[in-house]
Amino acid sequence: MDLSTNYLGLSLKNPLVPSASPLSRDLDTARRLEDAGASAIVMYSLFEEEIVAEQNELESLWSFQDIGHGEADSYLPASANCETSLDTYLAQLWALKQALEIPVIASLNGITPGGWIEHASEMVGAGADALELNVYYLAADLNQTAAEVEDNYIQLLTQLKQAVNIPITLKLSSQFSSPANFIGKLGEAGADGVSLFNRFYQPDLDLDTLTVKHTLHLSSPYEALMRIHWIALLHGRVDVSLAATGGIHSVTEVMKLLLSGADVTHLCATLLKNGPDYLATILIDMAQWMEEKEYESVEQLKGSFSQQHSPDPQAWQRANYLKVLQSY
């Protein structure tokens, strides 16, 4: 059974790619993922806010260290010896590249160009095979138009494409007015792929303390439906690799997304719950399902039920809405 696929110009042995998560922080865990069958791995994200906060803290330390306590100068560390989150990230990226044979995709999370150009170049130097831009931007400015939001993404992408020579994919949210049109523009601007969709974690209210609380909720298989829908609509219509992320917990979601047209499926919550070895179980289930349905390869089945190839194209459009309501 040929499970191979192509993603961002990378030839992968199968479509199962662990997404950005704490699993990539540990070399032994990363090795277990590779042994279980992972075809590539996305590193945990490097956050723009974290880098900026560290830079501000260090600048404050070096600027005011000698005020009133000159005798304590010798106890303060030299700035060159302070390891930042960027240093840690680059060291882990290099270590993963030395330990693994599969491609390693670095991940940047932020909203402004800032030092991204420099950071991306350093990631290339550390061995990254591709770069995922996790642009977590909440468009809450009443004076900012949808077109301006999209332009910010395209400008960031354009600058990075000029600075690095590795594939770039954007991890997008579903909160765009016209996702198909926007993804087409990203492809024209040089994006090699898109990952659909980013999961925005929503703040909650604590009614007892009357404070805003932050709670992590892992995905559920239900969330895969939005990914299935949009990838089915986009397959064959945009010139970028399509990755699905969010709600992929078993072979059921994997096969539905491949049939819709995904090149790869990113897994996170199911690996956190079931452990890295669960990848091997999904691969076995994939091969069994394909054999039962008489498919010989992933490429053969990929996109065979997208809107372009569906026996009922209208099922992916508004007609589906009415049928679902009538089915209750």
Side-chain angles (χ1 to χ4, degrees):
M1 192 69 65
D2 182 4
L3 302 182
S4 64
T5 187
N6 187 284
Y7 177 58
L8 305 176
L10 303 171
S11 296
L12 305 182
K13 59 186 178 182
N14 65 63
L16 302 186
V17 178
S19 62
S21 77
L23 294 171
S24 58
R25 292 181 181 271
D26 181 75
L27 285 181
D28 288 337
T29 303
R31 289 192 187 98
R32 286 180 60 192
L33 288 168
E34 182 179 47
D35 292 342
S39 62
I41 187 170
V42 183
M43 281 190 68
Y44 64 93
S45 292
L46 180 65
F47 283 82
E48 175 186 359
E49 294 90 341
E50 190 174 3
I51 296 175
V52 171
E54 288 178 343
Q55 290 174 341
N56 292 339
E57 186 176 350
L58 286 174
E59 288 175 5
S60 176
L61 176 62
W62 310 134
S63 298
F64 301 105
Q65 63 178 340
D66 58 349
I67 297 179
H69 300 283
E71 70 279 3
D73 283 357
S74 60
Y75 292 95
L76 292 169
S79 59
N81 296 330
C82 289
E83 185 173 282
T84 65
S85 57
L86 176 59
D87 296 327
T88 302
Y89 193 92
L90 294 174
Q92 180 67 358
L93 171 56
W94 184 88
L96 286 171
K97 284 298 299 177
Q98 303 308 305
L100 306 177
E101 295 182 6
I102 58 176
V104 178
I105 301 172
S107 176
L108 276 171
N109 188 309
I111 58 173
T112 61
W116 275 34
I117 307 299
E118 179 183 353
H119 303 331
S121 298
E122 290 174 314
M123 289 177 178
V124 173
D129 295 286
L131 180 63
E132 178 184 88
L133 299 184
N134 188 345
V135 190
Y136 189 160
Y137 180 66
L138 194 63
D141 186 344
L142 294 177
N143 298 312
Q144 188 177 42
T145 67
E148 289 172 340
V149 173
E150 292 183 3
D151 285 343
N152 288 340
Y153 280 72
I154 292 173
Q155 289 175 16
L156 172 60
L157 170 64
T158 302
Q159 292 178 31
L160 280 172
K161 288 295 290 186
Q162 293 172 349
V164 301
N165 59 356
I166 60 174
I168 295 177
T169 182
L170 285 90
K171 193 172 186 178
L172 302 176
S173 81
S174 59
Q175 299 176 5
F176 288 94
S177 300
S178 180
N181 176 269
F182 178 46
I183 292 170
K185 289 180 180 179
L186 291 174
E188 293 171 359
D192 298 279
V194 292
S195 183
L196 309 176
F197 290 106
N198 199 347
R199 297 180 70 243
F200 284 180
Y201 296 106
Q202 310 300 337
D204 196 0
L205 288 176
D206 189 316
L207 294 179
D208 293 324
T209 62
L210 295 182
T211 57
V212 176
K213 63 179 182 179
H214 308 281
T215 306
L216 174 64
H217 297 283
L218 296 178
S219 70
S220 69
Y222 175 78
E223 295 177 49
L225 294 179
M226 181 186 293
R227 284 76 179 165
I228 292 168
H229 193 176
W230 274 105
I231 287 177
L233 292 172
L234 292 168
H235 176 76
R237 298 173 60 198
V238 292
D239 190 21
V240 294
S241 290
L242 297 174
T245 182
I248 305 167
H249 284 247
S250 69
V251 69
T252 300
E253 293 79 45
V254 170
M255 299 316 303
K256 289 179 181 179
L257 284 158
L258 293 176
L259 288 167
S260 299
D263 294 299
V264 296
T265 56
H266 289 309
L267 303 106
C268 179
T270 191
L271 300 179
L272 294 174
K273 290 179 178 178
N274 301 309
D277 299 334
Y278 188 61
L279 264 170
T281 300
I282 297 177
L283 282 172
I284 292 171
D285 292 342
M286 280 182 62
Q288 181 178 345
W289 185 92
M290 291 171 64
E291 183 176 1
E292 291 175 353
K293 302 298 181 182
E294 299 183 349
Y295 284 105
E296 296 180 356
S297 69
V298 164
E299 287 299 325
Q300 179 189 2
L301 67 84
K302 189 190 299 181
S304 57
F305 273 80
S306 65
Q307 186 184 38
Q308 277 196 338
H309 301 106
S310 173
D312 183 12
Q314 291 302 313
W316 295 109
Q317 296 280 13
R318 183 176 170 84
N320 174 68
Y321 181 67
L322 181 59
K323 290 180 180 177
V324 169
L325 290 178
Q326 291 175 339
S327 71
Y328 180 75

